[in-house]
Amino acid sequence: MKKIDIRDYLTANFIGRSIEYHETITSTNIRAKEIAREADEGTVVIAEEQTMGKGRLGRNWTSPKGKGLWFSIILKPKVKVEEATKITLIGAAAVYKALKDMGIESYIKWPNDIVIDGKKVCGILTEMIFRDKGSYFVIIGIGINVNLDEEDFNEDLKNKATSLKLVRRSEVDRNKLFAYVLNNFEILYIPFKEKGDIREAIEISRERSILIGKEVRIIGGNREKTARVLGIDNEGQLIVKYRDGKTEALFSGEVSIRGMEGYMDNC
Ligand code: BT5
């Protein structure tokens, strides 16, 4: 197994300039939180394998050894904390663009999944650490199924997850893809960090959305409702219309969206 080395491809100035590498770790998000205070902005924690990879809302993230990109970026934006949740959309847009740079087409399932052939190939978990006087750090954890084989997915995941190797039918260069994600992330993140400007990421989330125009089940708290997705507004919220005609803008993080058809079910 080749160790990650992105020196040939990294053009970003601060995202990924410092990388903490682990063979095995519980979760790169957990480790990133531990070192966030001392770390420079843009520091990345990456591991070949996670033994307790985390999804949202306490869910698990399957992270077998040497086959994926499991990493977390430490960010210290100056924007209001309410704005910082939008960083998930920057991550999704950056992964989409990086895959495109590799010649791979993908879709975005708002707010945190990248989907190919109706199956999840990447998930994003954004977490915040609050410090005194209202300041905070952001950890954006990105998991990309690069060279996973069928047998790396358990029965539950087989129908709803895939890897780049499975869709491409050949191995994908992890170093190149990793660097491309970091490069694209920095380009999209700088206007946000400086001015709260997230327009390009939202534009991409709209253009590549797998949800817009579809009927979905919206699951949040203990309620579940059917709605049609009308679009994504300029704040990055998902605009949905319920069967009773009411519309609502949903914040990322508060809901899970399920498809009504075979595609993207439960991802
Ligand atoms: C996510 O949660 O999609 C966020 C995943 C974030 C993973 C990265 S890896 C680096 C960093 N360190 C961490 O510990 N985490 C981050 P959510 O939307 O809740 O989706 C979780 C669900 O996706 C699970 O309940 C499974 O159904 C499914 N799943 C688990 N592992 C998967 C995989 N490898 N590929 C596709 N789907 C998976």
Side-chain angles (χ1 to χ4, degrees):
M1 184 174 56
K2 270 201 292 183
K3 198 175 148 167
I4 292 286
D5 179 359
I6 57 173
R7 277 170 297 187
D8 290 347
Y9 307 112
L10 190 69
T11 56
N13 288 314
F14 64 99
I15 300 289
R17 282 290 153 192
S18 169
I19 295 183
E20 189 182 283
Y21 174 89
H22 297 265
E23 281 286 336
T24 297
I25 203 162
T26 49
S27 152
T28 56
N29 266 38
I30 294 176
R31 177 63 188 157
K33 279 192 215 162
E34 285 168 5
I35 64 167
R37 182 186 284 268
E38 289 75 33
D40 289 333
E41 174 161 53
T43 297
V44 174
V45 177
I46 185 160
E48 295 291 354
E49 167 188 54
Q50 299 186 114
T51 54
M52 273 173 46
K54 294 196 294 175
R56 297 179 305 159
L57 309 168
R59 294 191 278 250
N60 295 321
W61 185 257
T62 298
S63 322
K65 194 161 195 156
K67 293 189 166 184
L69 285 170
W70 328 121
F71 64 96
S72 304
I73 311 172
I74 297 168
L75 301 169
K76 304 185 174 184
K78 294 281 180 282
V79 300
K80 283 202 202 107
V81 67
E82 305 88 82
E83 298 284 299
T85 52
K86 297 178 188 168
I87 286 174
T88 301
L89 295 177
I90 297 181
V95 173
Y96 160 74
K97 287 189 88 181
L99 290 173
K100 194 167 175 60
D101 291 345
M102 304 280 294
I104 303 170
E105 286 298 334
S106 63
Y107 292 88
I108 298 176
K109 177 169 171 262
W110 180 96
N112 71 314
D113 296 348
I114 302 294
V115 173
I116 301 179
D117 293 344
K119 292 180 172 177
K120 182 160 168 171
V121 78
C122 164
I124 299 172
L125 171 66
T126 303
E127 297 186 282
M128 279 181 235
I129 313 168
F130 295 97
R131 307 175 62 215
D132 28 301
K133 298 201 196 88
S135 73
Y136 66 94
F137 302 141
V138 176
I139 308 295
I140 176 164
I142 301 181
I144 308 177
N145 299 331
V146 185
N147 292 320
L148 282 74
D149 297 293
E150 289 279 1
E151 57 269 25
D152 292 312
F153 297 111
N154 64 25
E155 281 311 313
D156 177 46
L157 285 182
K158 276 202 168 77
N159 301 320
K160 55 189 187 197
T162 192
S163 74
L164 300 177
K165 180 179 172 184
L166 290 170
V167 292
R168 266 289 190 82
R169 295 176 205 279
S170 66
E171 295 234 336
V172 169
D173 184 341
R174 286 192 307 159
N175 290 323
K176 215 184 219 182
L177 178 60
F178 183 29
Y180 287 3
V181 174
L182 300 175
N183 295 343
N184 279 296
F185 188 89
E186 183 172 290
I187 293 167
L188 293 164
Y189 176 66
I190 287 174
F192 177 76
K193 169 188 166 61
E194 288 172 358
K195 311 191 287 275
D197 176 356
I198 192 175
R199 279 174 297 179
E200 191 179 346
I202 289 180
E203 203 52 49
I204 292 167
S205 307
R206 273 187 201 127
E207 269 168 28
R208 303 305 299 179
S209 173
I210 203 169
L211 294 180
I212 295 175
K214 301 262 167 61
E215 285 256 296
V216 295
R217 298 288 295 163
I218 298 167
I219 304 160
N222 45 19
R223 65 184 194 143
E224 195 172 324
K225 276 172 130 179
T226 301
R228 182 166 291 277
V229 178
L230 300 183
I232 296 169
D233 71 9
N234 291 339
E235 301 304 313
Q237 300 175 98
L238 193 74
I239 310 298
V240 299
K241 186 173 188 178
Y242 297 106
R243 285 187 168 159
D244 63 6
K246 285 201 188 93
T247 60
E248 194 178 1
L250 304 173
F251 286 103
S252 65
E254 68 180 3
V255 290
S256 289
I257 311 279
R258 304 270 193 272
M260 305 284 286
E261 301 154 32
Y263 75 98
M264 72 178 190
D265 258 7
N266 303 316
C267 47

